Amino acid sequence: MQPETLEIARRTNSVLRQYMNIQNDLFKPSLRKLIRLPGIYTPVDYQGNRLALTAISVELEDIKRSIRDFRPDNESEDGKFLILQRAYVSGMARAVSCVKLITEKLYQRSMGNKEYSKKDYGEDIEVFKKVELEFLEIGLKLNKIIHEKQQSR
């Protein structure tokens, strides 16, 4: 693969790591969230996570622009990879938007607005899971391409 293609893959992986860290902070159960003892309990930083998700959205758009600007031949190995990479980045952007919306609603709830119910949260999570599953399936295809490329070396 060409260096430009590898750089796009590295950038995407870096963004994915940031996104997963935010997801873990928001959704992963932990003792610090369950035990609300002073000094141990640290509330989730919804506002900080929302800002980080905004930055991730901007970076994903920049990655899509880089793919578009690179313009590899669609029949080449790089071209096929980048077409799939663009679909992956677009899917991740949709998932980030879902998480950002949930984060904003949770932030509003933490500030006293009780209109966001557990039922609403559950519905939002279901939508998010479907969107995330789509981009994760594309990620599996990308991983397969990369794995096959490494095996052929």
Side-chain angles (χ1 to χ4, degrees), residues 21-53:
N21 286 337
I22 292 169
Q23 244 192 48
N24 285 338
D25 186 44
L26 292 170
F27 304 128
K28 186 177 179 184
S30 68
L31 283 177
R32 84 171 170 88
K33 291 178 186 173
L34 297 174
I35 301 173
R36 296 179 182 247
L37 296 174
I40 295 176
Y41 174 71
T42 308
V44 174
D45 182 8
Y46 296 116
Q47 194 69 339
N49 284 326
R50 189 181 64 77
L51 293 172
L53 289 165

Short mmCIF file of all heavy atoms in Angstrom, two decimals, residues 21-53:
data_model
loop_
_atom_site.label_atom_id
_atom_site.label_comp_id
_atom_site.label_asym_id
_atom_site.label_seq_id
_atom_site.Cartn_x
_atom_site.Cartn_y
_atom_site.Cartn_z
N ASN A 21 -12.22 5.51 24.00
CA ASN A 21 -11.97 6.01 25.35
C ASN A 21 -13.17 6.80 25.87
O ASN A 21 -13.56 6.67 27.04
CB ASN A 21 -10.71 6.87 25.40
CG ASN A 21 -9.45 6.06 25.31
OD1 ASN A 21 -9.43 4.88 25.63
ND2 ASN A 21 -8.38 6.68 24.84
N ILE A 22 -13.75 7.61 25.01
CA ILE A 22 -14.93 8.38 25.41
C ILE A 22 -16.10 7.44 25.67
O ILE A 22 -16.82 7.58 26.67
CB ILE A 22 -15.30 9.42 24.33
CG1 ILE A 22 -14.21 10.50 24.26
CG2 ILE A 22 -16.68 10.03 24.59
CD1 ILE A 22 -14.33 11.42 23.07
N GLN A 23 -16.29 6.48 24.79
CA GLN A 23 -17.37 5.50 24.99
C GLN A 23 -17.22 4.77 26.32
O GLN A 23 -18.20 4.60 27.04
CB GLN A 23 -17.33 4.46 23.85
CG GLN A 23 -18.52 4.49 23.00
CD GLN A 23 -18.55 3.28 22.10
OE1 GLN A 23 -18.36 2.15 22.55
NE2 GLN A 23 -18.82 3.53 20.84
N ASN A 24 -16.01 4.36 26.63
CA ASN A 24 -15.77 3.68 27.91
C ASN A 24 -16.09 4.60 29.08
O ASN A 24 -16.69 4.17 30.07
CB ASN A 24 -14.32 3.19 28.01
CG ASN A 24 -14.08 1.97 27.16
OD1 ASN A 24 -14.99 1.23 26.81
ND2 ASN A 24 -12.83 1.76 26.79
N ASP A 25 -15.70 5.86 28.99
CA ASP A 25 -15.99 6.80 30.06
C ASP A 25 -17.49 6.98 30.25
O ASP A 25 -17.97 7.09 31.38
CB ASP A 25 -15.33 8.15 29.76
CG ASP A 25 -15.46 9.13 30.92
OD1 ASP A 25 -15.25 8.72 32.08
OD2 ASP A 25 -15.77 10.30 30.66
N LEU A 26 -18.23 7.00 29.15
CA LEU A 26 -19.66 7.24 29.23
C LEU A 26 -20.47 6.00 29.62
O LEU A 26 -21.40 6.09 30.42
CB LEU A 26 -20.19 7.75 27.88
CG LEU A 26 -19.74 9.13 27.46
CD1 LEU A 26 -20.13 9.40 26.01
CD2 LEU A 26 -20.34 10.18 28.38
N PHE A 27 -20.15 4.86 29.03
CA PHE A 27 -21.03 3.70 29.11
C PHE A 27 -20.52 2.52 29.93
O PHE A 27 -21.31 1.70 30.36
CB PHE A 27 -21.38 3.20 27.71
CG PHE A 27 -21.98 4.26 26.83
CD1 PHE A 27 -21.47 4.50 25.57
CD2 PHE A 27 -23.07 5.01 27.24
CE1 PHE A 27 -22.02 5.46 24.74
CE2 PHE A 27 -23.63 5.97 26.42
CZ PHE A 27 -23.11 6.20 25.17
N LYS A 28 -19.23 2.41 30.10
CA LYS A 28 -18.68 1.25 30.79
C LYS A 28 -18.94 1.34 32.30
O LYS A 28 -18.57 2.34 32.93
CB LYS A 28 -17.17 1.14 30.54
CG LYS A 28 -16.56 -0.12 31.09
CD LYS A 28 -15.08 -0.19 30.72
CE LYS A 28 -14.46 -1.44 31.28
NZ LYS A 28 -13.03 -1.47 31.01
N PRO A 29 -19.58 0.32 32.87
CA PRO A 29 -19.80 0.35 34.32
C PRO A 29 -18.46 0.29 35.07
O PRO A 29 -17.53 -0.36 34.63
CB PRO A 29 -20.60 -0.92 34.60
CG PRO A 29 -21.03 -1.44 33.28
CD PRO A 29 -20.13 -0.86 32.24
N SER A 30 -18.40 1.01 36.15
CA SER A 30 -17.20 0.97 36.98
C SER A 30 -17.59 1.23 38.43
O SER A 30 -18.64 1.78 38.72
CB SER A 30 -16.18 2.01 36.51
OG SER A 30 -16.66 3.31 36.76
N LEU A 31 -16.70 0.84 39.33
CA LEU A 31 -16.96 1.07 40.75
C LEU A 31 -17.04 2.56 41.07
O LEU A 31 -17.85 2.97 41.90
CB LEU A 31 -15.88 0.41 41.60
CG LEU A 31 -15.99 -1.09 41.75
CD1 LEU A 31 -14.81 -1.63 42.55
CD2 LEU A 31 -17.29 -1.47 42.43
N ARG A 32 -16.24 3.36 40.38
CA ARG A 32 -16.26 4.79 40.66
C ARG A 32 -17.60 5.42 40.30
O ARG A 32 -17.98 6.43 40.86
CB ARG A 32 -15.12 5.53 39.99
CG ARG A 32 -15.37 5.91 38.57
CD ARG A 32 -14.27 6.83 38.02
NE ARG A 32 -14.44 6.97 36.61
CZ ARG A 32 -15.22 7.89 36.03
NH1 ARG A 32 -15.86 8.75 36.76
NH2 ARG A 32 -15.35 7.94 34.73
N LYS A 33 -18.33 4.79 39.37
CA LYS A 33 -19.65 5.30 39.01
C LYS A 33 -20.73 4.76 39.95
O LYS A 33 -21.73 5.42 40.19
CB LYS A 33 -19.99 4.93 37.57
CG LYS A 33 -19.16 5.64 36.54
CD LYS A 33 -19.54 5.17 35.14
CE LYS A 33 -18.62 5.76 34.10
NZ LYS A 33 -18.87 5.20 32.78
N LEU A 34 -20.52 3.54 40.44
CA LEU A 34 -21.53 2.89 41.27
C LEU A 34 -21.47 3.33 42.73
O LEU A 34 -22.50 3.45 43.39
CB LEU A 34 -21.39 1.37 41.18
CG LEU A 34 -21.64 0.77 39.79
CD1 LEU A 34 -21.32 -0.72 39.79
CD2 LEU A 34 -23.06 1.02 39.33
N ILE A 35 -20.26 3.54 43.23
CA ILE A 35 -20.08 3.90 44.64
C ILE A 35 -19.87 5.42 44.70
O ILE A 35 -18.84 5.93 44.31
CB ILE A 35 -18.88 3.16 45.26
CG1 ILE A 35 -19.08 1.66 45.16
CG2 ILE A 35 -18.68 3.60 46.70
CD1 ILE A 35 -17.89 0.85 45.59
N ARG A 36 -20.85 6.11 45.20
CA ARG A 36 -20.79 7.58 45.21
C ARG A 36 -20.24 8.09 46.54
O ARG A 36 -20.93 8.76 47.29
CB ARG A 36 -22.17 8.14 44.93
CG ARG A 36 -22.64 7.78 43.56
CD ARG A 36 -24.02 8.32 43.28
NE ARG A 36 -24.44 7.91 41.97
CZ ARG A 36 -24.63 8.74 40.94
NH1 ARG A 36 -24.43 10.02 41.10
NH2 ARG A 36 -25.02 8.28 39.79
N LEU A 37 -19.00 7.74 46.81
CA LEU A 37 -18.33 8.21 48.02
C LEU A 37 -17.46 9.42 47.69
O LEU A 37 -16.75 9.42 46.67
CB LEU A 37 -17.46 7.11 48.61
CG LEU A 37 -18.19 5.86 49.13
CD1 LEU A 37 -17.17 4.81 49.54
CD2 LEU A 37 -19.09 6.21 50.29
N PRO A 38 -17.50 10.44 48.53
CA PRO A 38 -16.62 11.60 48.30
C PRO A 38 -15.16 11.16 48.21
O PRO A 38 -14.69 10.35 48.98
CB PRO A 38 -16.86 12.48 49.52
CG PRO A 38 -18.19 12.05 50.05
CD PRO A 38 -18.32 10.59 49.73
N GLY A 39 -14.48 11.68 47.22
CA GLY A 39 -13.07 11.33 47.03
C GLY A 39 -12.88 10.14 46.10
O GLY A 39 -11.83 10.00 45.50
N ILE A 40 -13.88 9.28 46.00
CA ILE A 40 -13.80 8.12 45.10
C ILE A 40 -14.63 8.37 43.85
O ILE A 40 -14.20 8.14 42.74
CB ILE A 40 -14.27 6.83 45.80
CG1 ILE A 40 -13.32 6.48 46.94
CG2 ILE A 40 -14.34 5.67 44.81
CD1 ILE A 40 -13.74 5.28 47.75
N TYR A 41 -15.83 8.86 44.07
CA TYR A 41 -16.75 9.09 42.95
C TYR A 41 -16.34 10.33 42.17
O TYR A 41 -16.19 11.41 42.72
CB TYR A 41 -18.19 9.25 43.46
CG TYR A 41 -19.16 9.65 42.38
CD1 TYR A 41 -19.52 8.75 41.39
CD2 TYR A 41 -19.68 10.93 42.33
CE1 TYR A 41 -20.39 9.10 40.39
CE2 TYR A 41 -20.56 11.30 41.34
CZ TYR A 41 -20.92 10.38 40.37
OH TYR A 41 -21.78 10.74 39.38
N THR A 42 -16.16 10.15 40.90
CA THR A 42 -15.90 11.27 40.00
C THR A 42 -16.98 11.25 38.94
O THR A 42 -17.12 10.26 38.22
CB THR A 42 -14.52 11.12 39.31
OG1 THR A 42 -13.53 10.91 40.31
CG2 THR A 42 -14.19 12.33 38.49
N PRO A 43 -17.78 12.29 38.85
CA PRO A 43 -18.84 12.29 37.84
C PRO A 43 -18.26 12.29 36.43
O PRO A 43 -17.15 12.77 36.19
CB PRO A 43 -19.62 13.57 38.12
CG PRO A 43 -18.73 14.42 38.94
CD PRO A 43 -17.75 13.53 39.62
N VAL A 44 -19.05 11.75 35.51
CA VAL A 44 -18.65 11.74 34.10
C VAL A 44 -18.64 13.18 33.60
O VAL A 44 -19.55 13.96 33.87
CB VAL A 44 -19.63 10.89 33.26
CG1 VAL A 44 -19.32 11.00 31.78
CG2 VAL A 44 -19.60 9.43 33.72
N ASP A 45 -17.62 13.53 32.86
CA ASP A 45 -17.49 14.88 32.30
C ASP A 45 -18.21 14.92 30.94
O ASP A 45 -17.60 14.80 29.89
CB ASP A 45 -16.01 15.23 32.14
CG ASP A 45 -15.78 16.63 31.60
OD1 ASP A 45 -16.76 17.40 31.47
OD2 ASP A 45 -14.62 16.94 31.30
N TYR A 46 -19.53 15.09 31.00
CA TYR A 46 -20.33 15.09 29.77
C TYR A 46 -19.91 16.23 28.84
O TYR A 46 -19.81 16.04 27.63
CB TYR A 46 -21.82 15.20 30.09
CG TYR A 46 -22.35 14.01 30.86
CD1 TYR A 46 -22.83 14.16 32.15
CD2 TYR A 46 -22.37 12.75 30.27
CE1 TYR A 46 -23.32 13.06 32.84
CE2 TYR A 46 -22.85 11.65 30.96
CZ TYR A 46 -23.32 11.81 32.25
OH TYR A 46 -23.80 10.73 32.93
N GLN A 47 -19.70 17.40 29.40
CA GLN A 47 -19.33 18.55 28.59
C GLN A 47 -17.97 18.33 27.91
O GLN A 47 -17.81 18.61 26.72
CB GLN A 47 -19.32 19.82 29.46
CG GLN A 47 -19.30 21.09 28.70
CD GLN A 47 -20.60 21.38 27.94
OE1 GLN A 47 -21.40 20.50 27.65
NE2 GLN A 47 -20.77 22.61 27.56
N GLY A 48 -17.00 17.83 28.65
CA GLY A 48 -15.69 17.55 28.07
C GLY A 48 -15.76 16.48 26.99
O GLY A 48 -15.11 16.59 25.94
N ASN A 49 -16.55 15.44 27.25
CA ASN A 49 -16.72 14.38 26.25
C ASN A 49 -17.42 14.91 25.00
O ASN A 49 -17.07 14.54 23.88
CB ASN A 49 -17.49 13.20 26.83
CG ASN A 49 -16.63 12.36 27.74
OD1 ASN A 49 -15.44 12.20 27.53
ND2 ASN A 49 -17.23 11.80 28.77
N ARG A 50 -18.40 15.79 25.19
CA ARG A 50 -19.10 16.37 24.04
C ARG A 50 -18.14 17.18 23.18
O ARG A 50 -18.14 17.07 21.95
CB ARG A 50 -20.26 17.26 24.52
CG ARG A 50 -21.17 17.71 23.38
CD ARG A 50 -22.29 18.61 23.89
NE ARG A 50 -21.80 19.85 24.45
CZ ARG A 50 -21.39 20.90 23.74
NH1 ARG A 50 -21.39 20.85 22.43
NH2 ARG A 50 -20.96 21.99 24.34
N LEU A 51 -17.27 17.95 23.81
CA LEU A 51 -16.28 18.73 23.06
C LEU A 51 -15.29 17.82 22.34
O LEU A 51 -14.90 18.09 21.19
CB LEU A 51 -15.55 19.69 24.00
CG LEU A 51 -16.41 20.81 24.58
CD1 LEU A 51 -15.63 21.59 25.64
CD2 LEU A 51 -16.93 21.73 23.49
N ALA A 52 -14.88 16.75 23.00
CA ALA A 52 -13.96 15.79 22.37
C ALA A 52 -14.63 15.10 21.18
O ALA A 52 -13.99 14.88 20.14
CB ALA A 52 -13.50 14.76 23.39
N LEU A 53 -15.91 14.79 21.31
CA LEU A 53 -16.64 14.18 20.20
C LEU A 53 -16.77 15.15 19.02
O LEU A 53 -16.71 14.73 17.86
CB LEU A 53 -18.02 13.70 20.66
CG LEU A 53 -18.01 12.48 21.58
CD1 LEU A 53 -19.37 12.31 22.26
CD2 LEU A 53 -17.62 11.22 20.80
#
